[in-house]
Amino acid sequence: AAIEARLLSLWLRRRLPEGERVGVLLPPCAAAALANVALTLEGRVPINLNYTASEELVAGCAEKAGARAVLTSRRFLEKLGWKEPPGAVFIEDAAAETSKTRAALAALSFWALPAFLLERRWCRPRRLDELATVIFTSGSTGVPKGVMLTQANVLANIEALGQILQVSDRDRILGILPFFHSFGFTVTLWFPLLAGFGAVYHHNPLDSRTIGDLASKYAATILLGTPTFLATYLRRVEPEKFKSLRMVVAGAEKLREEVARAFQERFGLRPLEGYGCTELSPVAAVNIPDFQPPGEPAPKQKGTKPGTIGQPLPGVVLGVVDPDTGVPLGPGRPGLILVKGPNVMAGYLGEPEKTAASMRDGFYVTGDIGMIDDDGFVTITDRLSRFSKIAGEMVPHIKVEEKLHELAGLVEQTFVVVGAPDPKRGERLVVLCKGCEDLDGLFKKLQASGLPNLWIPAREDFRRVDAFPLLGSGKLDMPKLKTLALEAAGA
């Protein structure tokens, strides 16, 4: 892989125009990984573009990032049905335009030269405060925000993960997250490369059968995914396909207890919940396996507490404050979560006002509500954006969703709660249901569940939908769901 990346970097040096930033329009695969490495060797900044968004939005992101070239594939563009983007450079041409002599010299250099000389010859020097990438957030209208992550941001996150996950060269991570997603970029692309273990990539995280086959074929040991993906694997992956896994980490959304329990029952391994976001490079906290010394009956150090997102990574400070006053809150008291550390982004590309608004006294304001217990484990209770203010009271959507899934006895995401305007009480709750049958019976159970009356949606606000729209990262597309809810509510 190192020799191929070197050859690709030399080819890119001849083909790319001047300019530090280069768009990358490729699915997660070996070629996309090599492209990111090759661009980094050349001192360029790879900008992985979200191919699940519209063609116009991707073009807008590339323009905003200042990418004068886009490294892509003719075959991939055909599958997308897109036109050739401005400044397109096609990765298929690299092999045809690289001579056997050049390849042999690269291989000879790799095996003959010591590491420090290879580094001097093959790598353009970079400072820690220089950009490593720009990752665009999921925007509903206009061009999304571009999160600027530096070399120091990404390296700090990788170093912290290496300290707590205890990986070895025998590990293999199953890379199913796209590289335009921060977890995919840091954890499934650069983490294995820098920590020295293997990675297996597949472009479609919902292609359960292929993912199971890849896990079995390559003896994958680590799987990182969203709860939505894990719920899909429950139905379509045979247990023996995942028998080599030693660690499964769920992020991007809250891991419901029903999903975690069902995964453990089927595959013999409980998913560990983590937490992060693009602005944090991305990991801020994660559960890890308990430390069990050989021959001892009980764990010596507890690394996992179900229902929490774990403890902050080494070097990361996580605080909880009152959302209105900013006063720090003690253990067990829910409030707004703030994060500080070397993983906090450099800012939003070209948007200093939004950057300033996202920070408070050096801490990044996550927008999430949670609390820290006496042992330092963090629990996320909701997002500020996923509350509705009904008759002056803040009603959490996720709590209502969890109760609906519990009453229905369902593991897969079947209900999503969204707020809609209400002329009398300010807002009301709308429940979007996918594939649910007896809504009348479910509504009666909800009325008798003990939830506060304000938290119980009206029966006419339960609406059936064919499917829940997802982002390319596997998270629910909340802006589209909001639109569906407004249409269903007649707003």
Side-chain angles (χ1 to χ4, degrees):
I3 297 169
E4 291 173 330
R6 168 63 171 171
L7 292 171
L8 183 56
S9 73
L10 293 173
W11 179 78
L12 290 171
R13 187 182 298 176
R14 303 192 303 269
R15 292 294 302 268
L16 290 176
E18 291 296 321
E20 182 188 47
R21 299 172 191 173
V22 179
V24 179
L25 188 62
L26 293 168
C29 58
L34 288 172
N36 277 269
V37 175
L39 288 168
T40 304
L41 289 176
E42 279 299 293
R44 308 284 187 124
V45 177
I47 314 291
N48 291 275
L49 300 169
N50 184 356
Y51 48 82
T52 67
S54 68
E55 193 172 356
E56 294 74 21
L57 191 61
V58 167
C61 289
E63 182 179 357
K64 182 174 182 177
R68 296 178 56 195
V70 175
L71 182 57
T72 185
S73 158
R74 293 186 183 89
R75 184 180 176 189
F76 187 53
L77 289 179
E78 288 174 7
K79 284 190 174 182
L80 293 175
W82 288 9
K83 302 186 298 292
E84 181 180 316
V89 176
F90 297 106
I91 199 167
E92 295 99 328
D93 298 336
E97 297 177 10
T98 299
S99 68
K100 292 182 179 180
T101 302
R102 187 182 292 274
L105 288 172
L108 182 62
S109 297
F110 180 78
W111 293 112
L113 296 179
F116 76 94
L117 281 180
L118 278 177
E119 185 176 351
R120 286 183 188 177
R121 287 176 58 87
W122 287 19
C123 305
R124 297 285 181 92
R126 303 297 300 274
R127 299 192 315 273
L128 287 175
D129 60 350
E130 289 187 272
L131 272 185
T133 190
V134 176
I135 293 181
F136 286 92
T137 59
S138 305
S140 56
T141 58
V143 177
K145 297 191 294 291
V147 177
M148 298 187 293
L149 301 180
T150 66
Q151 300 281 334
N153 291 152
V154 176
L155 288 170
N157 218 228
I158 290 171
E159 174 64 25
L161 288 171
Q163 289 181 31
I164 61 174
L165 296 184
Q166 298 296 303
V167 294
S168 74
D169 58 4
R170 296 185 299 275
D171 280 306
R172 299 286 182 275
I173 192 168
L174 199 54
I176 59 173
L177 296 177
F179 298 153
F180 62 74
H181 186 259
S182 55
F183 281 89
F185 182 82
T186 297
V187 184
T188 64
L189 171 60
W190 285 107
F191 183 34
L193 282 168
L194 296 179
F197 62 98
V200 182
Y201 296 113
H202 187 59
H203 66 279
N204 183 1
L206 294 175
D207 184 3
S208 305
R209 296 190 187 281
T210 301
I211 288 166
D213 290 342
L214 289 171
S216 177
K217 179 179 179 180
Y218 294 100
T221 57
I222 302 171
L223 172 64
L224 176 72
T226 67
T228 299
F229 297 157
L230 299 188
T232 302
Y233 305 154
L234 284 171
R235 292 183 284 111
R236 298 176 184 169
V237 178
E238 295 300 320
E240 64 270 14
K241 299 288 187 178
F242 277 174
K243 67 181 180 181
S244 61
L245 291 176
R246 71 173 184 87
M247 189 186 309
V248 177
V249 182
E253 296 176 317
K254 183 174 177 58
L255 176 64
R256 291 186 290 110
E257 174 59 27
E258 309 93 273
V259 176
R261 185 169 55 246
F263 197 94
Q264 184 172 20
E265 289 173 357
R266 183 165 178 80
F267 300 112
L269 190 65
R270 184 181 177 90
L272 304 172
E273 189 170 3
Y275 169 78
C277 60
T278 305
E279 289 86 348
L280 299 176
S281 305
V283 186
V286 67
N287 283 286
I288 59 175
D290 294 339
F291 176 60
Q292 181 78 50
E296 294 194 18
K300 189 171 183 179
Q301 182 173 333
K302 192 168 185 61
T304 299
K305 194 176 279 191
T308 76
I309 57 168
Q311 296 172 313
L313 263 60
V316 174
V317 178
L318 194 149
V320 176
V321 301
D322 184 285
D324 298 319
T325 65
V327 174
L329 301 175
R333 297 183 62 189
L336 180 63
I337 293 179
L338 308 180
V339 178
K340 186 176 186 178
N343 59 325
V344 176
M345 66 171 180
Y348 294 117
L349 179 64
E351 300 185 87
E353 298 85 4
K354 290 182 179 179
T355 300
S358 70
M359 303 298 293
R360 182 183 298 179
D361 298 326
F363 284 81
Y364 171 70
V365 181
T366 65
D368 289 312
I369 301 297
M371 58 186 177
I372 307 174
D373 66 18
D374 289 324
D375 297 322
F377 285 86
V378 185
T379 301
I380 300 292
T381 56
D382 220 316
R383 283 195 64 83
L384 277 178
S385 60
R386 297 213 62 204
F387 278 82
S388 286
K389 196 166 189 177
I390 302 176
E393 182 178 328
M394 298 299 286
V395 177
H397 298 174
I398 290 178
K399 293 292 186 184
V400 180
E401 287 175 9
E402 289 176 341
K403 181 58 70 174
L404 286 167
H405 284 94
E406 177 189 326
L407 295 172
L410 296 171
V411 172
E412 190 171 356
Q413 183 95 44
T414 307
F415 307 98
V416 175
V417 175
V418 184
D422 184 88
K424 294 182 179 180
R425 299 194 297 178
E427 278 189 282
R428 70 182 191 273
L429 301 182
V430 176
V431 179
L432 300 177
C433 318
K434 181 185 72 172
C436 38
E437 300 293 335
D438 184 14
L439 288 182
D440 289 328
L442 180 65
F443 177 68
K444 290 177 182 177
K445 288 181 180 179
L446 191 63
Q447 286 182 307
S449 68
L451 284 182
N453 288 333
L454 275 180
W455 293 26
I456 299 176
R459 171 62 185 87
E460 60 269 21
D461 285 328
F462 282 73
R463 305 286 176 162
R464 289 188 173 90
V465 295
D466 295 328
F468 295 141
L470 298 177
L471 299 169
S473 60
K475 297 166 63 175
L476 292 170
D477 190 334
M478 294 310 301
K480 286 186 179 178
L481 286 165
K482 180 84 171 179
T483 301
L484 284 175
L486 294 175
E487 290 172 353

